[in-house]
């Protein structure tokens, strides 16, 4: 084998080798199943008259894991949509700064959601007033 042929083989190998390893990775990345979060529709409520109240931060705590919601007010603030975004699980003291009183239909009872600062909205009936005190 001459030096010229050897140099040609080395240059071809140096160009082809990266492609040989990259092609299977690129194909597997395309064919691998991807987890796409489905867009979930939230529940839309009508805000009661004088239903949104902002106040100084108050202490609340939870006794069990509760559902956490993201709230989106409409432009004219007469409707609000709550979309579930997870759970509130830490047994600590939370600060609540807002309450929203809503009704789904004219015949249903009004529900109250509280805004937990830094987390989102929760049902008022599922969170307790006062600071969290761990059991001894």
């Amino acid at each position: 084998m001459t030096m010229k042929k050897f140099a040609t083989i080395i240059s071809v190998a140096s160009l082809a080798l990266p492609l040989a390893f990259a092609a299977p990775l690129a194909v597997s990345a395309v064919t691998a199943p991807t987890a796409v979060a489905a867009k979930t529709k939230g529940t839309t409520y009508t805000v009661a008259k004088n239903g949104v109240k902002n106040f100084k931060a108050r202490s609340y705590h939870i006794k069990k894991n509760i559902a956490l919601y993201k709230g989106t007010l409409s432009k004219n603030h007469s409707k609000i949509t709550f979309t579930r975004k997870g759970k509130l699980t830490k047994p600590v003291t939370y600060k609540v700064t807002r309450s929203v009183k809503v009704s789904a239909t004219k015949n249903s009872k009004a529900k109250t959601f509280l805004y937990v600062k830094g987390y989102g909205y929760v049902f008022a009936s599922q969170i307790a007033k006062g600071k969290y005190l761990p059991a001894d």
Side-chain angles (χ1 to χ4, degrees):
M1 193 187 284
T2 64
M3 276 307 250
K4 193 171 188 179
K5 285 184 183 180
F6 184 71
T8 306
I9 291 173
I10 294 295
S11 63
V12 169
S14 66
L15 294 174
L17 197 56
L19 294 175
F21 286 113
L25 295 176
V27 171
S28 65
V30 171
T31 59
T34 56
V36 176
K39 287 192 175 185
T40 56
K41 290 186 178 181
T43 305
T44 301
Y45 296 98
T46 302
V47 177
K49 185 176 181 182
N50 298 327
V52 178
K53 295 180 182 175
N54 295 315
F55 44 83
K56 199 180 239 185
R58 298 177 185 164
S59 296
Y60 281 79
H61 66 277
I62 60 172
K63 296 180 180 179
K64 60 179 183 173
N65 295 345
I66 58 174
L68 189 61
Y69 299 93
K70 176 184 176 188
T72 308
L73 277 168
S74 66
K75 287 184 180 179
N76 60 4
H77 300 291
S78 64
K79 296 204 181 281
I80 189 166
T81 303
F82 289 107
T83 307
R84 184 154 181 183
K85 73 175 202 177
K87 288 185 176 185
L88 202 57
T89 59
K90 295 180 189 174
V92 296
T93 301
Y94 295 100
K95 296 296 182 182
V96 173
T97 58
R98 179 184 299 154
S99 70
V100 179
K101 195 172 205 177
V102 298
S103 61
T105 61
K106 292 183 180 186
N107 298 332
S108 69
K109 289 185 176 182
K111 297 178 184 177
T112 303
F113 286 87
L114 297 175
Y115 178 73
V116 178
K117 189 175 181 180
Y119 294 94
Y121 289 91
V122 296
F123 279 117
S125 61
Q126 295 179 336
I127 193 166
K129 282 186 179 181
K131 292 183 178 182
Y132 172 73
L133 299 173
D136 289 330

